[in-house]
Amino acid sequence: MAVHTLQWHITHRCNLRCAHCYQGDYSAEMPREVMYEALEKYLRFLRRRGMTGQVNLTGGEPMAHGEFWALSRKIRESGLRLGVLTNGTMIGRDEAECFRALEPAFVQVSLDGTRQTHDAIRGQGAFDRALAGIDCLKRAGVRVNVSFTAQKGNYRDFAALARVCRRHRVDKLWWDRVVTPDVGKLALSTGEFRELCLEAARQRRRCRRPDGTSMVNCGRALQFLATGRLCKYHCGAGGDLLILLADGALMPCRRLPFIIGNLSDGELDDVIEASPIMRDLARADIPADCVKCEHVFRCRGGARCVTYAQTGRWDARDVNCWAGE
């Protein structure tokens, strides 16, 4: 059965103020009654489409919402997979035990480099608190993913971060490029992106496990150019991905700034089918600049959100592609 992913921002409140955050509002929070109505709507949506669901709770900081644990339990009781995207600073021994009981697919913690770099981006002490949260989760037997948001100020920290993740028994370290309203100041050049791709590929080999898997994941857009592996990445915007914000707004991708409607507009199917943007994204053709590329059917143009942030077009070739150079 096909899997649909709902990335659900249950609150915009957060205990940190990260330099690269794409969130402009830190006050919106989804009311309790609206949350459970939203879950029922999502379950109806999945039944109509004959799909199973993966719900990734995030924010803001999702654990700052007073209904976080109750909603998480309800999601699991509904037969859905659960993921949690967090900064990790609110996780102690008790919270880790609660996560263990939920049996989530993963808890994802954001780390942006070494202690000095991470704290410069997220605030003093954030690095140590996030690592303490990771350690609690691992002791409780919870799968931990670490996400690294690459930008000019931290991309050369990746190797050091991989070593930290190995020491703390992280299950998966994955990375992607920054996308923010100020992306011009933070975005990697193609040369910097290529350098990071090659370093991540080296770390992937160094972090290989006895079963042939690796802690380091290089599965996002264009990263296969460095690993030589089959690219399984595709942009889910307009297809198997939907974003729900704390104010009820619906988006095809959190990193593409298009609002397609609101939870209050009706059933999710109806909102999606009435959206010209969703239709355009779903049937998007391969960019003209990519048609003759040998990798065209492996990546289909790369990361649309990254290209849109820098050019205003999501239907063009990835701005950092170096294939053929």
Side-chain angles (χ1 to χ4, degrees), residues 20 111-112 122 147-151 154 175-179:
H20 61 248
L111 289 177
D112 292 321
R122 294 180 178 262
S147 67
F148 173 79
T149 301
Q151 53 182 281
N154 74 348
W175 65 280
D176 211 342
R177 290 164 282 173
V178 68
V179 175

Side-chain angles (χ1 to χ4, degrees), residues 171 204-205 207-216 229:
D171 295 280
R204 185 181 181 280
R205 293 190 294 271
C207 296
R208 198 178 302 276
R209 303 181 178 105
D211 64 1
T213 63
S214 176
M215 179 193 73
V216 176
R229 293 174 59 84

Side-chain angles (χ1 to χ4, degrees), residues 57-135:
L57 294 183
T58 186
E61 170 50 53
M63 295 179 65
H65 197 299
E67 200 69 15
F68 170 77
W69 294 110
L71 177 63
S72 297
R73 286 191 292 271
K74 185 66 174 177
I75 289 168
R76 295 295 289 126
E77 290 166 2
S78 300
L80 302 176
R81 286 166 51 93
L82 173 69
V84 177
L85 318 183
T86 172
N87 60 42
T89 63
M90 299 179 71
I91 300 172
R93 190 184 319 174
D94 292 344
E95 290 79 12
E97 287 300 317
C98 290
F99 276 121
R100 182 188 62 78
L102 284 171
E103 297 183 333
F106 59 84
V107 175
Q108 176 176 295
V109 177
S110 299
L111 289 177
D112 292 321
T114 60
R115 178 182 289 105
Q116 181 179 358
T117 303
H118 182 87
D119 285 0
I121 292 170
R122 294 180 178 262
Q124 190 67 33
F127 183 81
D128 288 338
R129 290 158 62 198
L131 281 184
I134 288 172
D135 289 341

